[in-house]
């Protein structure tokens, strides 16, 4: 949670810039790597960017963020989402 709060302090959540949002999604994946979180912040945040209406950079960053956060966990929810 501390890492996500630090990203929030940078104002990335409210940015309209696609590059900033893409960086945020990658950051979420990095700070949640090997973190057991009952709220699954990374899954909730990154899954929002997977829709067909999302720009390509957001979709790719969402996929990479999920991959970083859940690598080696065997999380079936992430597997089904991708």
């Amino acid at each position: 949670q501390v890492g996500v709060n630090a990203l929030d302090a940078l104002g990335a959540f409210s940015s309209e810039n696609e590059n900033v949002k893409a960086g945020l999604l990658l950051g979420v994946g990095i700070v949640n790597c090997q973190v057991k979180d009952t709220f699954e912040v990374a899954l909730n945040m990154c899954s929002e960017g997977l829709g067909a209406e999302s720009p390509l950079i957001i979709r790719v960053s969402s996929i990479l963020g999920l991959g970083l956060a859940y690598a080696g966990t065997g999380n079936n929810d992430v597997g089904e989402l991708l």
Side-chain angles (χ1 to χ4, degrees), residues 30-62:
I30 291 169
V31 299
N32 284 289
C33 185
Q34 298 298 314
V35 173
K36 304 286 186 215
D37 183 11
T38 56
F39 299 110
E40 299 203 17
V41 174
L43 181 60
N44 293 327
M45 292 185 70
C46 291
S47 64
E48 292 176 10
L50 293 176
E53 70 284 348
S54 296
L56 180 61
I57 191 169
I58 301 296
R59 288 193 311 252
V60 169
S61 296
S62 294

Side-chain angles (χ1 to χ4, degrees), residues 7-32:
L7 290 172
D8 186 32
L10 296 173
F13 291 113
S14 60
S15 177
E16 293 298 319
N17 186 318
E18 291 178 1
N19 293 323
V20 172
K21 287 183 180 180
L24 167 72
L25 293 168
L26 288 173
V28 167
I30 291 169
V31 299
N32 284 289

